[in-house]
Amino acid sequence: MTSHSTQFAPLSRIGMYESPLHQFSMWDDSTFESGLCSPGTGVCTATIIDTEPKIDDRSDQYASDKSLGHSEDNQASNGVSDKIKRRLAQNREAAKKSRLRKKAYVQQLETSRLKLAQLELELGRARQQGLLIAGAATNVAFCGTINSGIGAFEMEYGRWIDEQDRKISEIRTVLQTPIADVELHILVENVLNHYCNLFRMKRAAARVDAFYLVSGMWRTSVERFFLWIGGFRPSELINVVFPHLEPLDDLQRANVTNLRDSCSQAEEALTQGMDKLRQTMSQSITFLPVAPGSFSNQMGSPLEKLESLETFIHQADHLREQSLQQMSRILTTRQAAKGLVAFAEHFQRLRALSSLWSARPPRPV
């Protein structure tokens, strides 16, 4: 055993066994665990141990499977991420469509409400015209004549209301679109000029019958409840539109407040003048000398005093016109448009309320 181990020891130390056999040339970096020779043949058989660390095929497979698993996980993660992104995009689109449907529904409700108010307004106007016709018939029975100037004013005012509703509806629609302020300014100026036409119509009617304008027979019953010298109070106009003008800067807010205070002072002065006129008229009639004959011969002085009523109406309308113009100068074009819409809708509600009041069922006794 010793001689064999000594004879074949060099074979266990070489890295490559030089042999005519071709297969030995493929054993790179290998050693023999043990070397044995068959007796008499000299042929050596050996068990080969590779000195290089080898990776198990199963480890290679596991690494490959793990790498493939990571790749599949990444693909699955990307697929889930893309699916979530698509779902979020679909949710955003559905929410956007829902908001648009809701906005359209609200606009449809608002349009229906305005149409209902318009129908109620027309119904109330028809009733009002019936009352005016009945009043005119009473005047005919009492006086024997119909004032053609007042009849023309009533017809002209009815057309003015229809045109006003159309203009306000146009501004309301334009405010919901990104229209340029230049075009919106034209619409605002048209409405302001339309109010100027109303004041012109009232001046003509005041020359015919100032008491008719002050009594408010050309307006609905609820509008007459808020009437002031044949029209609206300018300070109330500012109070009505003020909440719809936001946002206002400090200068605008101060100017609007100053304008409202100035209007209130002017209204108070005109109201005191009207009270003084009533007092003077009452005294003139009360202390007329008692004389035989008709009272018509003694009414010259009271008639002269009554003519000043037309002046009060003109001054009140001038204050209304100036307040509208001043508000349009203080505000931006879009704010002025919103204010005009709010002011017109205020009177539409008053007329609708008047129609509902006229159509209410009678209360039980």
Side-chain angles (χ1 to χ4, degrees):
M1 291 292 294
T2 303
S3 61
H4 285 296
S5 300
T6 304
Q7 181 180 356
F8 291 99
L11 293 177
S12 62
R13 292 193 298 269
I14 63 175
M16 178 181 295
Y17 181 69
E18 297 294 338
S19 172
L21 298 177
H22 177 70
Q23 59 268 30
F24 287 167
S25 65
M26 303 300 295
W27 296 347
D28 294 324
D29 300 326
S30 298
T31 58
F32 297 111
E33 182 182 17
S34 62
L36 297 176
C37 292
S38 298
T41 62
V43 177
C44 178
T45 62
T47 302
I48 301 170
I49 299 177
D50 195 352
T51 58
E52 291 292 332
K54 293 186 179 180
I55 300 176
D56 192 0
D57 291 342
R58 289 174 297 177
S59 299
D60 293 341
Q61 183 66 30
Y62 174 75
S64 177
D65 292 343
K66 186 175 181 181
S67 175
L68 180 60
H70 281 303
S71 177
E72 291 177 350
D73 289 342
N74 291 334
Q75 292 177 358
S77 177
N78 291 336
V80 172
S81 178
D82 293 340
K83 185 177 181 180
I84 292 175
K85 290 180 180 179
R86 288 194 300 269
R87 180 61 60 85
L88 291 176
Q90 291 173 356
N91 290 342
R92 286 193 295 270
E93 185 67 22
K96 181 179 179 181
K97 291 180 180 179
S98 178
R99 289 193 298 270
L100 292 175
R101 285 195 300 267
K102 181 179 179 181
K103 183 177 180 181
Y105 178 69
V106 171
Q107 291 177 351
Q108 184 179 3
L109 288 179
E110 181 67 15
T111 302
S112 299
R113 183 187 67 80
L114 293 175
K115 288 182 179 179
L116 179 60
Q118 181 66 24
L119 291 175
E120 293 173 347
L121 173 61
E122 293 176 357
L123 180 61
R125 191 180 301 162
R127 291 196 181 100
Q128 185 71 18
Q129 291 295 330
L131 292 175
L132 292 175
I133 292 173
T138 303
N139 290 333
V140 170
F142 185 77
C143 302
T145 59
I146 297 178
N147 196 320
S148 59
I150 295 302
F153 171 79
E154 291 175 359
M155 296 178 60
E156 196 172 2
Y157 179 69
R159 290 192 293 267
W160 186 92
I161 287 290
D162 294 337
E163 183 68 14
Q164 174 77 349
D165 291 342
R166 187 190 65 80
K167 290 179 181 294
I168 293 301
S169 178
E170 185 178 4
I171 289 183
R172 186 187 298 108
T173 302
V174 167
L175 282 174
Q176 299 175 355
T177 61
I179 191 173
D181 287 346
V182 176
E183 300 178 23
L184 188 60
H185 179 74
I186 296 175
L187 297 177
V188 170
E189 288 296 322
N190 288 338
V191 174
L192 293 176
N193 291 334
H194 195 57
Y195 276 108
C196 293
N197 291 335
L198 175 62
F199 300 138
R200 175 190 56 78
M201 291 159 47
K202 290 176 64 180
R203 282 195 296 270
R207 287 193 295 268
V208 176
D209 189 352
F211 283 97
Y212 170 81
L213 287 178
V214 174
S215 66
M217 287 300 296
W218 50 288
R219 288 181 177 267
T220 60
S221 56
V222 179
E223 287 180 294
R224 288 198 298 271
F225 181 73
F226 296 96
L227 205 64
W228 175 77
I229 314 181
F232 60 87
R233 287 180 178 268
S235 60
E236 290 183 358
L237 157 68
I238 298 175
N239 289 332
V240 167
V241 303
F242 201 95
H244 302 273
L245 303 179
E246 297 295 343
L248 291 170
D249 58 35
D250 294 338
L251 180 59
Q252 286 179 318
R253 194 178 300 276
N255 289 335
V256 171
T257 302
N258 292 336
L259 177 61
R260 181 178 57 190
D261 294 341
S262 299
C263 289
S264 297
Q265 294 175 3
E267 291 165 11
E268 182 62 25
L270 287 174
T271 300
Q272 291 178 1
M274 287 287 292
D275 292 341
K276 184 65 175 178
L277 176 61
R278 292 189 187 95
Q279 182 180 0
T280 304
M281 285 292 304
S282 178
Q283 292 175 354
S284 299
I285 295 173
T286 301
F287 296 104
L288 281 175
V290 179
S294 174
F295 281 105
S296 59
N297 297 328
Q298 305 173 15
M299 294 297 176
S301 177
L303 283 174
E304 291 178 358
K305 291 181 175 62
L306 282 178
E307 292 178 355
S308 60
L309 180 60
E310 181 180 346
T311 303
F312 280 105
I313 295 175
H314 293 341
Q315 291 177 349
D317 280 346
H318 180 71
L319 180 60
R320 297 180 186 106
E321 183 176 359
Q322 289 300 310
S323 2
L324 287 171
Q325 295 291 342
Q326 286 294 331
M327 285 290 290
S328 66
R329 295 188 186 100
I330 294 172
L331 304 175
T332 64
T333 300
R334 191 162 291 270
Q335 289 172 335
K338 291 180 180 179
L340 290 174
V341 170
F343 186 49
E345 288 180 346
H346 173 73
F347 283 99
Q348 287 176 350
R349 295 187 185 99
L350 292 181
R351 291 192 288 268
L353 181 60
S354 183
S355 299
L356 294 174
W357 175 260
S358 302
R360 75 192 190 285
R363 298 179 60 185
V365 179

